[in-house]
Amino acid sequence: MPSSTHDNFPSTPGKVKMERSNYFGRVASRWHSTASARLLGCSALLLAFALVVLFRVSSSGFADGGYFSNNGVLTFKPTLMWEKQVRQSCLPTRGDNPMVVLVTGAAGFVGTHVSLALKKRGDGVVGIDNFNSYYEISLKRARQEHLAKHGVFVIEADINNALLLKSLFEVVQITHVMHLAAQAGVRYAMENPGSYVHSNIAGLVNLFEICKAANPQPAIVWASSSSVYGLNTKVPFSEMDRTDQPASLYAATKKAGEEIAHTYNHIYGLSITGLRFFTVYGPWGRPDMAYFSFTRDILKGKPINIYQGANNKDLARDFTYIDDIVKGCVASLDTAERSTGSGGKKTGPAQLRIFNLGNTSPVTVPTLVDILEKYLNMKAIRNIVKMPRNGDVPFTHANVSSAQTQLNYKPITDLDTGLKKFVKWYLSYYELVSTRVSFW
Ligand SMILES: O=C(O)[C@H]1O[C@H](OP(=O)(O)OP(=O)(O)OC[C@H]2O[C@@H](n3ccc(=O)[nH]c3=O)[C@H](O)[C@@H]2O)[C@H](O)[C@@H](O)[C@H]1O
């Protein structure tokens, strides 16, 4: 960690700002330097302990609703306050056939943007997110705060929590589910395979079980991934292409999700639309993704690893800007037909769709770095390394003609324009954090 207050993030290219964690560290060390601060330190420790206990309780859902132990079995019973927050959040403000949408992974990158878009046009929206620590939780909290300001309540719970989801469907009539909660990241799957099974398989099945039993059943739109195309060499990738050679466990769980969706559609009449997202980027993005971590490291003067494929070929991605993805998600919800099941039984065939949502113009990773350098006004220290064998694929390229015809999906943001917006957000977000802590 850098020790100076002026070696982290510029607020504008060339100007420097600090990060929240460093600031706290410096404040803490100043406290420790005085005798009276020792007493304060003890109180702070006690307070921290209490906060940790409170956080653990809240992360299991206590703070949002009411969990209690019934003969040793943990049961969920919504509190009046919880019900009120849910109902309020789900209240549509437009008259023309509004939807009431449950957004899973609402404090995530895409979840935040989709929730906002729906709320802003007058649909009822309630979110759910488990706030796991895959990447900085403070960013998820900031997104939650942002959503709360716009009237979207995000429940803190895991999608495997059947009791809570059941209660939610009893409290409000959810017409649509936008399922974005997932364990993301291609390379992390080798480190923590269980988390992919937990969220992308078990969580998905649990959610489908709840939806199938709901009366009426909601229509579901959910996030699959471009990674299902795996090691395919035919480009651009079309929905008709094979998807049976995934290169990572992440991809395999998304592919499994598509098959599970087929089953629930076939047996229970759930209307299900899967969206294969292509490397989505933009403001409020995911710190684990290359464009975000490169930005952070370039600003810190740290070297970045740029992977190269066989024969020193640059890797390329069909990077897709968040606003284009949001339009695709909302159009999918708007065109989703009703589920046909009732009381857990199918009464007729239901809609089952799968769409690519990409940008249709792949860009190499070195070009992405060139653009970041331009908007950060700083040079990257580039380490060119061989692509590790950890699930990565050499390129992605979407054919979106199906989404174009059926969803009127037209990506309009090129990587240069999108990254410019991302960098602007990044700089202002971290500047805002430092402004906040200066009051602390
Ligand atoms: O479309 C998807 O379905 C997936 O998109 C995203 O995966 P990827 O396309 O792999 O994005 P990302 O990690 O940003 O790497 C981008 C490029 O930078 C290269 N890369 C990466 C890291 C690094 O240190 N160096 C490097 O060259 C890397 O080799 C790659 O060529 C989502 O994370 C994933 O959750 C899923 O949604």
Side-chain angles (χ1 to χ4, degrees), residues 134 183-187 196 224-228 250 254 276-281 286 288-294 297 304-308 314-320 357 363-366 368-369 383 385 387-388 390-396:
Y134 171 57
Q183 177 57 61
V186 173
R187 290 161 286 278
Y196 291 80
S224 182
S225 159
S226 73
S227 64
V228 299
Y250 169 72
K254 285 296 181 181
R276 293 175 179 164
F277 294 161
F278 283 68
T279 316
V280 190
Y281 72 99
R286 274 174 36 208
D288 62 310
M289 289 182 68
Y291 73 95
F292 201 119
S293 65
F294 285 172
D297 290 343
I304 57 172
N305 286 335
I306 297 178
Y307 302 145
Q308 256 184 357
D314 288 332
L315 305 184
R317 287 290 182 275
D318 200 1
F319 296 102
T320 311
L357 293 187
V363 176
T364 67
V365 176
L368 169 126
V369 177
N383 275 343
V385 297
M387 179 173 93
N390 54 8
D392 230 324
V393 292
F395 57 84
T396 62

Side-chain angles (χ1 to χ4, degrees), residues 350-407:
Q351 189 181 41
L352 182 69
R353 304 182 293 176
I354 192 90
F355 295 112
N356 285 341
L357 293 187
N359 195 48
T360 71
S361 48
V363 176
T364 67
V365 176
T367 304
L368 169 126
V369 177
D370 292 343
I371 300 170
L372 286 177
E373 286 180 333
K374 178 171 77 174
Y375 290 120
L376 293 169
N377 199 17
M378 281 180 82
K379 280 276 164 212
I381 305 167
R382 303 181 188 218
N383 275 343
I384 310 295
V385 297
K386 210 166 166 265
M387 179 173 93
R389 282 180 172 273
N390 54 8
D392 230 324
V393 292
F395 57 84
T396 62
H397 183 181
N399 172 337
V400 298
S401 52
S402 189
Q404 205 158 7
T405 321
Q406 295 184 56
L407 306 176

